[in-house]
Amino acid sequence: MEVGAGAEAEPLLPPRSWRAGRRLWRAGARSVAEDGTGTDNDLYINQAIVFIEDAIQYRSINHRVDCRSLGLYRWYYSRTCQWILSLTITVILALAFIEKPSSLTVTSDVRYRLPAWDPPCGLTESVELLCLLVFVVDVSVKSYLIGWEEFWKNKWLMAYILTLIVSLTDWIVSLSFFCMENSSMMKKTLKSINSTLPEMASVVLLLAVHLSLFTMFAMLLFARTKDGQQDKEWMKYFRNLPDSLTSLLVLLTTANNPDVMIPAYSKNRAYSIFFILFTVLGNLFLMNLLTAIIYNQFRGYLLKSVQSSLFRRRLGIRAAFEVLSSLKETPANAQQSYVSAGALQQVLQKAEMDSRCKQAIMRSLEMCSCDQLSATQFQKLFEELDKDAIKQHPPSPGYQSHFMQKMQFAFGHPYFGYLGNVVALANIISICVVLVIDADKKPSERDDFFLGAINCFFILYYLLEMLLKILAMGLKRYLSYPSNIFDGLLTVILLVLEIATFAVYGFPHPGWRPELMGLLSLWDMVRLVNMLIVFRFLRIIPNMKFMALVVTTLLDLVKNLRAFAGILVVVFYAFAITGIMLFKGAVVPLGNTSAINTTYDNGTLQCGTYEQLEYWPNNFDDFAAAVVTLWDVMVVNNWQVFLEAFSRYSSPWAKIYFVAWWLISSVIWVNLFVALLLENFIHKWDRRCHRASLSDVEYQRTVELMFRDVLEEPTEEELMEKLQQHPHLHLCR
């Protein structure tokens, strides 16, 4: 029997011809159990626990499995350790808002921004060093657990180490230059860009061909003529190749439509055919075709990824079965392995898993009359992991009093909730009426009595409604509904604000316009209350099934697509840092420069320019401003203004930066998000008729469960062959 990476022996797995070699493996396992003092049995139990936890989390089982490594492995994936790692990533990303150039100013407008507070030298560097040390520990533990052989196969782990080396070098350089260098680069681990991106190259190429052909056609169509009055189209949009490409690229997003067409259209209405044809082919056909292709390709990639996750889960369960079967002595000529029910119960008690799944598996195990489980029975028990998570609500309290039973029936009835929605709607309408009446009044002419009295009445009703619902449903059942938590929390906040308003300004009365007292004026407090009341109106969503379906789709995306969102954050982060390096300080107020031609001959600002639109807060002078600017470009509304302005303020090559950002963010990532949104919504829509009401039973689904009906179960041969290749579970040849 071979020895694993640690001091303890590791279990044997069957050779490649696993069916024929079963008896040899069973005999080796039995000899270990006979010679040992129970330590080996404990090792098998711990291995089974870890394999089952790997299966639950869809993790790979290719890691060290000796006793010491198993303890380190479970510690590394514990909630505390993973929380510390997540906190470290958050902290090191947040440093970009604090270190030079600091974002700690009220405004990012270059005309009004005051000098930002800069942290003392060594402060952010010390925090960064602590974070990097945590990452060094993280990568060291990962590398040790998977082993040297697997380490060289894991290219992303090697990229992780390279990133840490660059980050440490950047930290040393920053400190050596007395904090004069920006140390924001390479501050978090880069995640894998999913494999659909290369497959989109053909579609993007088709888009580029479309753009290039129409650009050449436009330069020929709107070429310069002898009549200068007729050359407005050439002068503004098609003067040279870069301007022509930029004009049509922006038209592809419809951001400059119909502006780009007007000079030529004013000359001859037939010119409109060119622009309409370009927009129809590019925007309506190619861009939407790109969305469809991205959806199809990404769904295929996601399906492949989920299929791999299912295989890892089945492999983890099968690995747990194989090591547990070593605990059960069977005849040497046994053709099939078994696991005792007692051993499985012992594993389930120690394994970290959802209490609902654990209880369901334990119930199924108790209902099974056999004391020994075959591989098929063992795998079937853990199919509970693949089912929807159903949230059961606690029962309502049982009252003995006939009067209380009637109260419970009345205030626990759905119609009472509908009445609350009608009252909330009446509150919104009353606020709208008062706001319309007072829209043109000066603050000195405004009377806050009516709005204050209306708010007081409705808040008291909301408080009464909350208390009656708690009486009817019981506190535990009331809090088991997220909509009730949302409703009750806002009601309590509104009540506190109303009490604070009365304490400072007294009760509402005609002519209620006291002067500012405390932190907020009366009008500010009334506005805050009204904003919360409007926000509270979202309580109607659970009562509208279609709207509830939409909202639950969005919530599922938020919960299940953290990794996808993490990649988008990395791209935002990288482009923001790059933008700061390229354009920091490039934008200056008009009073500080005379070299930039942005005016007409009479001195007025040219319409539609960065300066005339007062886009001064959109710049790359600090990290927060850079992120907002990138967001504005991603939305593509007026993004041609940024292209033109930063080309003037820095270099014509600045357009490449913004076009690259548009391609990655708007064309690729937004379409990927649309693809996932469609997939999740279609899945929920198809199943809506087979589910109970969302208000009664809540089904919590994951991305893996979305594709459960189309996944293929791995065969026993595939599982055993994969187990043969495990680097730390050695085989008996």
Side-chain angles (χ1 to χ4, degrees):
M1 185 168 186
E2 298 183 24
V3 180
E8 292 78 15
E10 296 176 340
L12 300 176
L13 285 179
R16 181 172 297 277
S17 55
W18 62 275
R19 293 186 187 273
R22 171 74 69 181
R23 279 169 286 188
L24 177 60
W25 175 63
R26 296 291 301 152
R30 185 169 60 252
S31 65
V32 170
E34 292 171 352
D35 297 339
T37 59
T39 303
D40 296 302
N41 287 351
D42 292 338
L43 175 61
Y44 295 144
I45 292 293
N46 290 332
Q47 287 173 341
I49 291 171
V50 170
F51 287 149
I52 287 175
E53 291 177 349
D54 288 340
I56 293 170
Q57 300 299 331
Y58 299 102
R59 294 195 295 253
S60 171
I61 65 170
N62 291 337
H63 53 77
R64 297 179 187 269
V65 290
D66 59 90
C67 188
R68 186 183 309 168
S69 299
L70 289 175
L72 179 62
Y73 185 85
R74 295 195 75 192
W75 170 82
Y76 176 78
Y77 282 106
S78 64
R79 291 184 180 179
T80 302
C81 188
Q82 293 300 306
W83 181 85
I84 291 174
L85 186 59
S86 299
L87 178 63
T88 304
I89 294 174
T90 303
V91 169
I92 203 167
L93 286 174
L95 286 179
F97 293 95
I98 301 175
E99 59 190 2
K100 292 183 180 180
S102 173
S103 303
L104 301 179
T105 55
V106 175
T107 178
S108 61
D109 195 317
V110 296
R111 299 170 298 176
Y112 313 125
R113 182 176 55 208
L114 299 176
W117 173 81
D118 291 325
C121 180
L123 177 61
T124 57
E125 286 74 14
S126 299
V127 176
E128 183 176 4
L129 179 61
L130 291 175
C131 294
L132 291 177
L133 290 176
V134 173
F135 293 144
V136 169
V137 173
D138 175 49
V139 74
S140 301
V141 173
K142 280 183 177 178
S143 302
Y144 169 77
L145 288 174
I146 67 173
W148 190 251
E149 182 181 349
E150 290 294 312
F151 169 78
W152 289 109
K153 298 179 183 178
N154 195 325
K155 57 184 179 181
W156 294 113
L157 190 57
M158 297 178 68
Y160 188 178
I161 295 176
L162 180 62
T163 301
L164 286 177
I165 293 173
V166 174
S167 298
L168 286 170
T169 305
D170 177 65
W171 179 85
I172 294 171
V173 171
S174 174
L175 208 59
S176 301
F177 283 89
F178 301 101
C179 310
M180 294 304 294
E181 298 286 333
N182 187 335
S183 59
S184 296
M185 293 294 291
M186 307 297 289
K187 289 202 170 179
K188 80 179 291 285
T189 305
L190 294 177
K191 296 187 178 180
S192 170
I193 303 299
N194 64 59
S195 62
T196 56
L197 299 185
E199 298 174 2
M200 299 174 195
S202 59
V203 186
V204 175
L205 180 62
L206 180 61
L207 206 58
V209 170
H210 167 74
L211 184 63
S212 301
L213 291 178
F214 270 86
T215 297
M216 290 185 288
F217 193 78
M219 293 184 69
L220 294 172
L221 187 63
F222 305 114
R224 189 174 187 178
T225 62
K226 295 181 180 180
D227 187 1
Q229 297 296 325
Q230 302 295 328
D231 291 338
K232 291 182 179 179
E233 188 74 37
W234 169 84
M235 187 177 299
K236 292 186 66 175
Y237 300 108
F238 299 98
R239 191 182 186 93
N240 49 49
L241 181 61
D243 287 350
S244 302
L245 275 172
T246 303
S247 298
L248 290 183
L249 179 63
V250 175
L251 180 60
L252 196 63
T253 65
T254 69
N256 61 351
N257 186 65
D259 299 1
V260 69
M261 181 180 69
I262 293 302
Y265 184 55
S266 299
K267 180 180 177 181
N268 190 324
R269 70 176 71 232
Y271 283 121
S272 63
I273 299 175
F274 169 82
F275 296 100
I276 293 174
L277 186 62
F278 175 82
T279 304
V280 168
L281 291 178
N283 185 266
L284 298 183
F285 282 97
L286 286 181
M287 292 299 288
N288 288 316
L289 178 63
L290 180 64
T291 301
I293 293 175
I294 288 176
Y295 168 74
N296 185 59
Q297 290 179 344
F298 187 79
R299 188 182 190 277
Y301 168 76
L302 192 59
L303 179 59
K304 187 188 303 181
S305 176
V306 173
Q307 182 70 58
S308 300
S309 297
L310 177 67
F311 185 85
R312 287 195 296 271
R313 170 168 285 184
R314 297 293 183 260
L315 186 63
I317 298 299
R318 185 53 186 256
F321 173 82
E322 295 297 338
V323 296
L324 285 178
S325 64
S326 301
L327 300 174
K328 180 65 178 176
E329 296 186 12
T330 56
N333 59 354
Q335 296 298 318
Q336 190 174 10
S337 296
Y338 292 94
V339 169
S340 68
L344 179 56
Q345 287 179 341
Q346 187 178 353
V347 170
L348 290 174
Q349 289 172 357
K350 296 181 180 180
E352 291 289 337
M353 60 189 303
D354 182 69
S355 58
R356 177 194 65 83
C357 290
K358 181 181 293 188
Q359 292 172 4
I361 295 173
M362 294 290 283
R363 283 196 302 267
S364 300
L365 191 59
E366 291 174 358
M367 292 173 62
C368 181
S369 58
C370 53
D371 294 331
Q372 297 179 1
L373 301 171
S374 65
T376 303
Q377 292 172 322
F378 190 88
Q379 193 75 257
K380 190 174 182 62
L381 283 175
F382 285 92
E383 289 181 358
E384 191 67 32
L385 299 173
D386 302 328
K387 297 179 180 179
D388 293 348
I390 304 176
K391 184 177 180 181
Q392 298 284 354
H393 298 286
S396 301
Y399 294 109
Q400 300 298 327
S401 171
H402 184 66
F403 174 75
M404 292 300 297
Q405 290 177 356
K406 287 187 175 181
M407 291 273 290
Q408 186 178 36
F409 175 79
F411 300 121
H413 199 280
Y415 286 162
F416 184 66
Y418 298 153
L419 175 62
N421 293 336
V422 172
V423 172
L425 178 62
N427 193 358
I428 296 294
I429 294 174
S430 62
I431 291 175
C432 291
V433 171
V434 174
L435 291 177
V436 170
I437 294 174
D438 294 343
D440 296 328
K441 292 183 179 179
K442 297 179 180 179
S444 58
E445 300 174 352
R446 188 186 302 117
D447 191 347
D448 297 327
F449 166 68
F450 294 105
L451 202 54
I454 290 172
N455 288 342
C456 181
F457 168 77
F458 282 107
I459 290 173
L460 288 177
Y461 175 82
Y462 297 151
L463 177 62
L464 179 63
E465 180 190 31
M466 181 184 70
L467 295 176
L468 291 175
K469 280 188 175 181
I470 293 176
L471 177 69
M473 303 172 65
L475 183 60
K476 288 185 178 181
R477 183 175 177 83
Y478 179 85
L479 295 177
S480 66
Y481 290 90
S483 58
N484 286 340
I485 296 176
F486 171 80
D487 197 15
L489 181 62
L490 283 182
T491 299
V492 172
I493 295 175
L494 287 170
L495 182 64
V496 171
L497 284 175
E498 199 71 5
I499 293 174
T501 302
F502 294 159
V504 176
Y505 296 106
F507 287 93
H509 56 272
W512 195 37
R513 292 191 307 273
E515 297 296 328
L516 174 63
M517 297 173 63
L519 296 176
L520 297 174
S521 66
L522 174 62
W523 175 238
D524 291 335
M525 297 190 74
V526 171
R527 283 194 303 163
L528 181 58
V529 169
N530 289 334
M531 284 188 284
L532 291 175
I533 289 174
V534 173
F535 189 56
R536 186 182 179 277
F537 188 66
L538 295 176
R539 56 171 280 167
I540 68 169
I541 290 177
N543 299 118
M544 303 177 66
K545 292 185 178 180
F546 180 78
M547 191 179 295
L549 180 67
V550 173
V551 173
T552 53
T553 300
L554 295 176
L555 292 178
D556 281 348
L557 283 176
V558 172
K559 290 185 292 185
N560 295 321
L561 301 178
R562 295 175 185 174
F564 175 83
I567 298 173
L568 183 58
V569 169
V570 169
V571 176
F572 251 104
Y573 194 90
F575 267 85
I577 295 299
T578 306
I580 292 173
M581 296 173 62
L582 295 176
F583 308 118
K584 181 179 180 295
V587 176
V588 292
L590 287 176
N592 298 338
T593 180
S594 58
I596 301 172
N597 181 22
T598 59
T599 62
Y600 286 122
D601 295 336
N602 59 5
T604 59
L605 291 173
Q606 184 176 345
C607 182
T609 60
Y610 181 92
E611 295 80 11
Q612 187 268 331
L613 295 171
E614 296 189 340
Y615 280 8
W616 303 105
N618 291 295
N619 53 66
F620 291 89
D621 289 354
D622 59 68
F623 186 78
V627 170
V628 174
T629 303
L630 289 175
W631 173 264
D632 291 339
V633 175
M634 187 178 74
V635 176
V636 302
N637 185 35
N638 272 356
W639 74 296
Q640 74 276 9
V641 175
F642 298 97
L643 287 172
E644 187 270 337
F646 283 94
S647 297
R648 283 190 289 105
Y649 280 114
S650 56
S651 165
W653 294 101
K655 292 180 180 179
I656 297 177
Y657 170 84
F658 289 99
V659 171
W661 171 246
W662 169 74
L663 282 172
I664 292 175
S665 63
S666 185
V667 174
I668 296 176
W669 292 114
V670 170
N671 282 325
L672 283 177
F673 181 78
V674 170
L676 289 168
L677 188 66
L678 286 173
E679 184 63 38
N680 203 341
F681 182 79
I682 291 172
H683 178 82
K684 284 182 173 291
W685 181 267
D686 290 340
R687 287 176 170 257
R688 74 191 189 281
C689 297
H690 306 288
R691 298 301 188 190
S693 173
L694 290 173
S695 59
D696 297 329
V697 180
E698 297 177 9
Y699 292 86
Q700 302 170 355
R701 301 188 62 84
T702 62
V703 173
E704 289 79 11
L705 292 175
M706 287 167 52
F707 296 93
R708 187 66 190 89
D709 296 337
V710 295
L711 297 179
E712 296 181 1
E713 285 288 341
T715 63
E716 190 171 6
E717 287 78 7
E718 291 173 339
L719 294 175
M720 295 307 301
E721 182 178 359
K722 192 67 176 178
L723 284 176
Q724 293 282 328
Q725 303 170 5
H726 195 289
H728 303 289
L729 287 175
H730 298 286
L731 306 176
C732 181
R733 298 293 182 183

